[in-house]
Amino acid sequence: MYPNDPRDPRTRAYEQQPQHDPYGQDQYGQAQYGKDSYAGDRYAADNYYDDRAYDDRRRAADPYPAPAAERSRSRAPKAPRRGPRVNAGLFAGGVLATAVVTALAAWLAAWIIRVISQRITETGKFGVWNPVAQDEYWFAVVGVLCAILAGALWYVLHMTTPSPDSFFAGIVGLLIAAAVLLPLLLSQEWTSAIGTAVMHLVIGLPIFFLIRAMGAKSLEY
């Protein structure tokens, strides 16, 4: 044994030699200031300044940034509207076609009733018949107006109710029944009551079936 052997841990020379500490300190508790000791610090500092530059650019682009919750909501995709959408142009064309069909049906029915009543009146056996109190063109105009109103009703029901066809059938069906029964119950002349009831039925049936069909054909899924 040599008393000054630096390799022997029991000698004073060994205690005076600084030992390497893998954690950056020597045996005296002092930090190792090597050339690579600042590598981690320089990397952190570079990242810090890069983040600062990115934040500055982002604030310059948007001086009034929205809160995080609002940004997340704005970036989220909007949920599509559920259910089919009505093609307004196609539906309007279908309503106009229904109005034309209703007007022609009303005009033809009124003309047929008037011709039959005139033939019966000419015979003189059954008295004077006047079942149609109005002109044929008046019923045609009424048919057009009723068809347009029914189309508007179906469109409003589709935009505001979950089952537009069911509500439309109920409303229009009740109106047709009332239009047919009221002349029969309130009119004093039975010929006029029958003629008016028939005309109301002729106007109501095309509207009841065609408007619903036009609405179903105008839906886009």
Side-chain angles (χ1 to χ4, degrees), residues 2-200:
Y2 297 96
N4 294 326
D5 189 0
R7 293 172 299 177
D8 190 355
R10 290 173 294 179
T11 62
R12 183 176 301 175
Y14 177 83
E15 294 178 356
Q16 294 177 355
Q17 293 293 329
Q19 301 298 324
H20 175 70
D21 188 0
Y23 297 99
Q25 295 180 354
D26 57 9
Q27 66 177 355
Y28 302 110
Q30 298 179 357
Q32 298 286 339
Y33 299 103
K35 64 178 180 178
D36 296 333
S37 61
Y38 291 100
D41 294 338
R42 287 200 305 272
Y43 180 74
D46 294 339
N47 289 339
Y48 173 76
Y49 288 112
D50 291 341
D51 294 340
R52 288 286 299 275
Y54 174 74
D55 293 338
D56 293 339
R57 290 195 300 270
R58 186 174 61 182
R59 281 194 294 269
D62 187 6
Y64 302 102
E70 295 183 4
R71 290 198 302 269
S72 61
R73 287 195 298 268
S74 62
R75 293 173 184 173
K78 296 182 179 180
R81 182 180 181 272
R82 295 184 178 180
R85 185 178 63 88
V86 179
N87 189 332
L90 190 63
F91 179 70
V95 171
L96 292 178
T98 302
V100 172
V101 172
T102 305
L104 291 176
W107 180 87
L108 182 60
W111 180 79
I112 292 173
I113 293 174
R114 183 177 294 279
V115 169
I116 293 175
S117 63
Q118 288 178 356
R119 293 292 185 270
I120 294 175
T121 303
E122 290 176 357
T123 60
K125 297 179 180 180
F126 301 97
V128 178
W129 278 31
N130 189 21
V132 181
Q134 301 293 337
D135 190 75
E136 293 87 352
Y137 297 102
W138 187 86
F139 287 104
V141 173
V142 171
V144 171
L145 295 178
C146 290
I148 295 175
L149 292 176
L153 175 64
W154 187 92
Y155 187 81
V156 171
L157 291 175
H158 178 79
M159 299 301 294
T160 57
T161 60
S163 181
D165 289 334
S166 299
F167 288 106
F168 180 83
I171 295 173
V172 176
L174 292 175
L175 291 177
I176 293 174
V180 172
L181 293 176
L182 287 177
L184 297 175
L185 298 176
L186 301 179
S187 180
Q188 297 179 356
E189 296 182 2
W190 63 275
T191 57
S192 178
I194 293 176
T196 304
V198 170
M199 290 305 305
H200 290 174

